[in-house]
């Protein structure tokens, strides 16, 4: 028998993306089908095969973080802490008389402070060991965003980072959900961030043959489900969610974006970088989340797919979705918001969770842009090029990572029942 679980609500959200900072800008850009891709400006890209990415524009960390503290953070950390500041303010946490030993932070990043690592390694090679910054290690390590968030707000609950490649921030949200279910915390701040648009990272993904090389047309390079897709477009950004029980959110009159109704995890146990061709691990993750939510596939109206725009990954996920949903797949809308924001690696799952929450709030499915020639193997509704208004009560969000990590979340429209 399914054990009795507490209803978990999302009561605070912060988001920083290549197409907009904040909920309103992010949603407006998605509805307009805006691409965040353009020539790389963060380094001289003449030496890397791919010369474009989805960079966050007009981001000033001092808008959210004390200037001195921001100088001691890698860009991934600045993005993550800033998104958390937005979410904490949105949830009005600072106004609450709460036990801060019962508030935790789980915040992930797939790679961590690679910009700092790259800069400090070049300093070491050019000037020697005595020129290395004393902040090198605390700026680089993947757990430090969670540390900064807890220090700023004096939060003494569970505190750590998750790392599972591009499933990282979904794992962070799942862990936060479990902390509340298990009674370790009353409230959790969770999510993820990534900022690795560096020569070394781009060259590494190029070497793995994972990135698009459509240098002559960056805005149309991320094209999930198009038969001419040639790899993903690297992005950067961050998102943070505040979780608490529905009971506590209702008691304090908080705005509830949605409930986190079910979570699923699995491993492909198949290959370092390729997905299982029959979608075996993805199926298991989705089915576990559906079971956890206590629903059947026919209840899901929208799937925010992992959909990276890689030739193998897109089809493997569609195969898995069709196997899980059966005949009900024709009633579900699917889209990949990576077509607009690129692939945010460890931050992808959290940012796409925000897209799911906004889809529920606005009762509208964001589009998959850049579909010019639909892959014949994709015989389902992938919401091509235009948003689709429809009733949305349940949304399923997939995130998968190198190493065969699979995570699925199910968000439910909040009702008082």
């Amino acid at each position: 028998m399914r054990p009795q679980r507490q209803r978990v609500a999302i009561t605070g959200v912060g988001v920083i993306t290549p197409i907009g900072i904040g909920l309103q800008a992010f949603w407006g850009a998605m509805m307009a089908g805006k691409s965040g891709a353009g020539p790389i400006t963060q380094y001289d890209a003449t030496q890397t095969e791919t010369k474009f990415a989805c960079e966050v524009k007009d981001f000033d960390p001092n808008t959210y973080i004390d200037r001195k503290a921001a100088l001691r953070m890698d860009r991934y950390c600045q993005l993550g802490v800033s998104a958390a500041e937005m979410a904490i303010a949105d949830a009005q946490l600072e106004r609450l008389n709460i036990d801060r030993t019962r508030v935790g932070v789980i915040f992930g990043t797939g790679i961590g402070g690679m910009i700092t690592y790259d800069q400090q390694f070049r300093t070491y090679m050019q000037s020697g060991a005595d020129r290395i910054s004393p902040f090198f290690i605390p700026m680089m390590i993947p757990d430090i965003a969670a540390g900064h968030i807890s220090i700023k707000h004096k939060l003494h609950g569970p505190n750590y980072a998750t790392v599972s490649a591009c499933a990282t921030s979904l794992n962070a949200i799942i862990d936060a959900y479990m902390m509340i279910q298990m009674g370790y915390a009353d409230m959790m701040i969770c999510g993820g961030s990534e900022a690795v648009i560096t020569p070394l990272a781009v060259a590494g993904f190029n070497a793995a043959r994972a990135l698009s090389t459509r240098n002559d047309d960056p805005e149309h390079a991320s094209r999930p489900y198009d038969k001419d897709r040639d790899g993903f477009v690297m992005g950067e950004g961050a998102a943070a969610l505040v979780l608490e029980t529905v009971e506590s959110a209702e008691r304090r009159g908080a705005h509830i974006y949605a409930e986190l109704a079910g979570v699923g995890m699995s491993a492909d146990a198949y290959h370092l970088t390729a997905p299982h061709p029959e979608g075996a691990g993805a199926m298991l993750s989705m089915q576990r989340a559906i079971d956890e939510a206590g629903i059947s596939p026919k209840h899901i109206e929208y799937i925010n797919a992992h959909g990276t725009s890689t030739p193998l990954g897109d089809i493997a996920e569609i195969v898995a979705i069709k196997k899980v949903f059966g005949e009900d797949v024709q009633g579900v809308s699917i889209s990949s918001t990576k077509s607009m924001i690129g692939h945010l690696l460890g931050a992808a799952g959290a940012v796409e969770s925000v897209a799911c929450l906004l889809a529920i709030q606005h009762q509208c499915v964001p589009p998959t842009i850049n579909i010019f020639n639909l892959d014949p193997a994709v015989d389902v509704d992938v919401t091509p090029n235009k948003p689709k208004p429809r009733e949305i009560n349940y949304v399923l969000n997939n995130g998968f990572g190198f190493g065969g990590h699979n995570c699925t979340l199910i968000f439910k429209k909040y009702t008082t029942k």
Side-chain angles (χ1 to χ4, degrees), residues 224-280:
Y225 315 124
D226 188 281
K227 72 180 183 63
D228 296 321
R229 64 193 181 280
D230 70 333
F232 73 78
V233 177
M234 185 186 291
E236 60 176 1
L241 309 179
V242 176
L243 306 186
E244 62 185 296
T245 64
V246 168
E247 182 181 8
S248 74
E250 288 178 338
R251 188 168 56 242
R252 70 184 183 91
H255 172 66
I256 297 176
Y257 287 90
E259 292 182 45
L260 180 51
V263 302
M265 295 178 284
S266 72
D268 275 2
Y270 173 72
H271 191 273
L272 285 179
T273 57
H276 191 288
E278 299 299 322

Side-chain angles (χ1 to χ4, degrees), residues 1 53 131 200 212 228 233 248 270 310:
M1 178 179 292
R131 302 300 298 170
L200 193 57
S212 170
D228 296 321
V233 177
S248 74
Y270 173 72
T310 58

Side-chain angles (χ1 to χ4, degrees), residues 78-403:
Q78 293 176 346
L79 292 169
V81 172
S82 298
E85 288 297 308
M86 292 182 196
I88 288 168
D90 191 28
Q92 300 186 328
L93 186 149
E94 291 302 317
R95 296 184 183 182
L96 303 180
N97 181 21
I98 54 175
D99 179 357
R100 290 173 189 254
T101 67
R102 300 279 302 166
V103 182
V105 183
I106 303 177
F107 214 84
T109 178
I111 300 176
M114 195 163 189
I115 293 174
T116 297
Y117 177 86
D118 191 38
Q119 291 171 343
Q120 290 295 297
F121 182 73
R122 280 187 278 112
T123 297
Y124 174 80
M125 295 301 290
Q126 293 167 5
S127 306
D130 61 352
R131 302 300 298 170
I132 293 298
S133 166
F135 295 102
F136 170 39
I137 298 302
M139 288 176 70
M140 181 194 71
I141 52 178
D143 66 319
I144 208 66
H148 276 290
I149 296 164
S150 69
I151 292 166
K152 170 70 184 299
H153 296 280
K154 306 301 179 190
L155 306 176
H156 299 277
N159 188 285
Y160 58 90
T162 53
V163 180
S164 53
C166 302
T168 287
S169 51
L170 289 190
N171 271 121
I173 296 170
I174 290 171
D175 280 16
Y177 168 83
M178 290 180 171
M179 287 292 173
I180 291 174
Q181 294 290 3
M182 296 172 68
Y184 284 104
D186 297 329
M187 181 178 283
M188 294 294 299
I189 292 96
C190 56
S193 61
E194 203 79 88
V196 292
I197 300 175
T198 71
L200 193 57
V202 172
F205 280 110
N206 274 150
R209 315 308 300 170
L211 291 184
S212 170
T213 56
R214 202 180 296 273
N215 291 311
D216 60 343
D217 192 12
E219 291 188 3
H220 300 116
S222 183
R223 49 175 74 187
Y225 315 124
D226 188 281
K227 72 180 183 63
D228 296 321
R229 64 193 181 280
D230 70 333
F232 73 78
V233 177
M234 185 186 291
E236 60 176 1
L241 309 179
V242 176
L243 306 186
E244 62 185 296
T245 64
V246 168
E247 182 181 8
S248 74
E250 288 178 338
R251 188 168 56 242
R252 70 184 183 91
H255 172 66
I256 297 176
Y257 287 90
E259 292 182 45
L260 180 51
V263 302
M265 295 178 284
S266 72
D268 275 2
Y270 173 72
H271 191 273
L272 285 179
T273 57
H276 191 288
E278 299 299 322
M283 288 173 55
L284 194 57
S285 181
M286 283 187 278
Q287 192 60 60
R288 284 173 171 164
I290 290 168
D291 292 344
E292 164 89 6
I295 59 174
S296 65
K298 69 180 180 183
H299 291 100
I300 304 289
E301 290 101 351
Y302 170 45
I303 297 174
N304 188 298
H306 188 59
T308 58
S309 183
T310 58
L312 293 178
D314 290 3
I315 299 305
E317 184 178 13
I318 293 296
V319 168
I321 289 170
K322 290 168 67 175
K323 287 181 178 177
V324 171
F325 282 74
E327 293 180 354
D328 293 325
V329 76
Q330 296 306 325
V332 65
S333 297
I334 302 167
S335 74
S336 170
T337 43
K338 289 185 179 72
S339 61
M340 294 175 276
I341 62 176
H343 191 353
L344 275 56
L345 308 176
V351 172
E352 288 156 16
S353 291
V354 176
C356 294
L357 298 174
L358 293 173
I360 291 173
Q361 180 171 301
H362 294 278
Q363 297 287 283
C364 187
V365 176
T368 306
I369 68 167
N370 295 334
I371 297 180
F372 304 103
N373 298 293
L374 185 65
D375 188 322
V378 181
D379 55 351
V380 294
D381 176 16
V382 289
T383 321
N385 301 316
K386 292 183 179 179
K388 182 177 183 178
R390 65 168 294 174
E391 181 180 2
I392 302 175
N393 295 293
Y394 286 95
V395 175
L396 184 151
N397 183 19
N398 275 335
F400 312 135
F402 280 0

